[in-house]
Amino acid sequence: MSGSLVLFGPPGAGKGTQAGLIVDLTGKPQVSTGDMLRAAVKASTAMGMEAKEYMDAGLLVPDSVIIGLIEERLTEADASAGVLFDGFPRTIRQAESLEAIANVVAVISIEVPDSAIVERIVGRRMDPETGGIYHVNFNPAPPEIVSRLIQRPDDNEETVLARLAAYHQQTAPLAAWYGERDLLVSIDGDHSIDEVAAAVETVVRGLA
Ligand code: AP5
């Protein structure tokens, strides 16, 4: 399949959890703006320090910063046949900028009600060594790695509510925007990880 895919949905919908499957099925590299921003924060770059203030508050990082990051990432050789965008675009302005520089062939929207989001995010644990995503109840880590797991600084209840508000105000309107372009494919994400994975696989195989 030529062109890029977008993985879309609210915070905690399961975008990162399902991204590996799509990478395996398509061979496209995952481009996660959240991961890129967290790497910049860890490296203490000027951009990372600026972004951290927004991320810790549960607000979107300014479009100009994000668009610059994506433009630079798309110049890399592995992006030439398209990528899997995860967590980008998140505003109409980001989507318009993307339209000018990449050929998006489908937007896979994982739909999860707000009522399920807080529990998913507050229980999330990350493996800093592998990038693995776990959940204390829904996807427990193997006992031998539990001691090294970390919790993201923005994975607390207060920040999640701010992230959800930003999602509904600035990001959710993109679903209609992509719908008008016949690119939106919706998946019910309010099921087990394996059930959602099966639905994602059906959709991705149907795009080939
Ligand atoms: P980002 O890192 O993109 O966070 P997000 O969109 O809020 O998404 P998450 O990573 O929280 O959730 P996810 O959908 O990947 O869920 P996951 O698979 O981990 O962004 C962080 C911040 O960076 C933003 O707030 C913003 O400040 C900034 N930013 C990033 N991109 C930006 C952009 N384009 N523009 C502006 N600012 C930007 O799953 C969550 C948990 O649920 C896990 O524990 C998992 O195990 C569990 N789980 C997954 N699926 C299921 C299931 N089906 N059932 C039960 N549990 C499940």
Side-chain angles (χ1 to χ4, degrees):
M1 177 204 323
S2 75
S4 291
L5 300 174
V6 171
L7 202 42
F8 181 83
K15 302 182 293 296
T17 297
Q18 302 297 340
L21 169 64
I22 303 177
V23 168
D24 289 346
L25 289 169
T26 64
K28 295 182 189 300
Q30 177 187 5
V31 173
S32 158
T33 41
D35 287 349
M36 293 161 86
L37 292 168
R38 279 183 288 279
V41 171
K42 198 172 172 194
S44 296
T45 66
M47 186 273 282
M49 291 301 96
E50 185 196 347
K52 184 174 175 5
E53 293 191 18
Y54 292 94
M55 296 165 81
D56 287 349
L59 302 174
L60 293 188
V61 173
D63 287 335
S64 55
V65 173
I66 299 292
I67 292 163
L69 266 181
I70 291 292
E71 283 174 346
E72 198 180 320
R73 178 65 182 86
L74 293 186
T75 63
E76 292 177 30
D78 68 340
S80 60
V83 305
L84 172 64
F85 292 107
D86 167 5
F88 172 86
R90 262 172 146 104
T91 63
I92 300 280
R93 182 163 159 225
Q94 290 179 19
E96 287 170 346
S97 298
L98 181 61
E99 210 172 28
I101 56 173
N103 176 30
V104 172
V105 293
V107 176
I108 301 170
S109 172
I110 304 181
E111 299 183 351
V112 177
D114 286 6
S115 55
I117 295 293
V118 175
E119 188 181 8
R120 284 196 188 186
I121 289 200
V122 172
R124 173 166 49 191
R125 299 292 182 272
M126 311 289 296
D127 181 352
E129 284 188 21
T130 65
I133 303 170
Y134 298 97
H135 190 282
V136 291
N137 298 320
F138 304 135
N139 186 22
E144 62 274 19
I145 69 162
V146 165
S147 62
R148 72 175 190 230
L149 299 184
I150 57 165
Q151 196 170 13
R152 271 171 45 178
D154 57 344
D155 277 356
N156 58 76
E157 190 163 347
E158 188 188 346
T159 310
V160 175
L161 296 177
R163 284 159 63 191
L164 267 176
Y167 171 77
H168 286 297
Q169 202 178 352
Q170 294 168 275
T171 305
L174 269 179
W177 194 88
Y178 277 120
E180 285 163 15
R181 286 157 180 77
D182 271 339
L183 293 174
L184 194 76
V185 187
S186 296
I187 287 176
D188 182 356
D190 197 13
H191 294 285
S192 72
I193 292 175
D194 287 347
E195 287 167 327
V196 176
V200 167
E201 180 164 358
T202 301
V203 164
V204 173
R205 289 196 186 283
L207 296 171

